[in-house]
Amino acid sequence: MTDEKNICPLKYLMKTFGGKWKMPIICILSSKQPQRYSTIKRKLGDITNMMLSQSLKELEADGLITRTQYNEVPTHVEYSLTKRGEGTLEFITAAAEWALKEMDVESLQAHCSECSML
């Protein structure tokens, strides 16, 4: 495994946030309310179960989200942002604001149903 202190910051950024689904998942979890797997999947739309599971595992391994399993009947799992994950919201908001300017759109709300933070 590469020592994170010796990796290019942009490579680290892409390792952490790369892919189509990680930032939208963080956006969904930015509501401060824990979200169930099925809610995240429904808000993302066309993501497969395999890709959602993989993305959630990677975000958890990177310390950006936490997974809480409730051993009730029926068993359910909830996901939420960690403090580290909350620290990414400023960066993601800035990236979304840049995209809005580039898209020449006044509001992302009409286009992005999962971003509860924008």
Side-chain angles (χ1 to χ4, degrees), residues 7-74:
I7 193 170
C8 167
L10 293 177
K11 286 181 181 179
Y12 179 77
L13 177 76
M14 291 308 298
K15 175 193 156 300
T16 304
F17 295 103
K20 181 177 178 179
W21 301 109
K22 288 182 179 180
M23 279 199 228
I25 290 169
I26 291 172
C27 285
I28 291 168
L29 297 178
S30 70
S31 69
K32 307 247 184 209
Q33 297 295 321
Q35 300 288 317
R36 289 188 177 197
Y37 180 96
S38 60
T39 302
I40 297 169
K41 184 168 182 4
R42 184 175 56 255
K43 287 183 178 182
L44 290 173
D46 60 346
I47 191 170
T48 64
N49 283 322
M50 178 184 268
M51 185 54 65
L52 179 54
S53 294
Q54 178 182 338
S55 297
L56 290 168
K57 285 177 187 176
E58 289 173 5
L59 288 167
E60 184 181 15
D62 287 337
L64 299 175
I65 67 171
T66 185
R67 178 184 187 275
T68 305
Q69 181 171 327
Y70 296 91
N71 294 321
E72 304 168 346
V73 178

Side-chain angles (χ1 to χ4, degrees), residues 94-113:
E97 288 171 357
W98 174 85
L100 281 174
K101 288 178 197 170
E102 291 296 311
M103 294 165 56
D104 197 26
V105 179
E106 294 199 17
S107 172
L108 192 58
Q109 294 302 320
H111 304 282
C112 187
S113 60

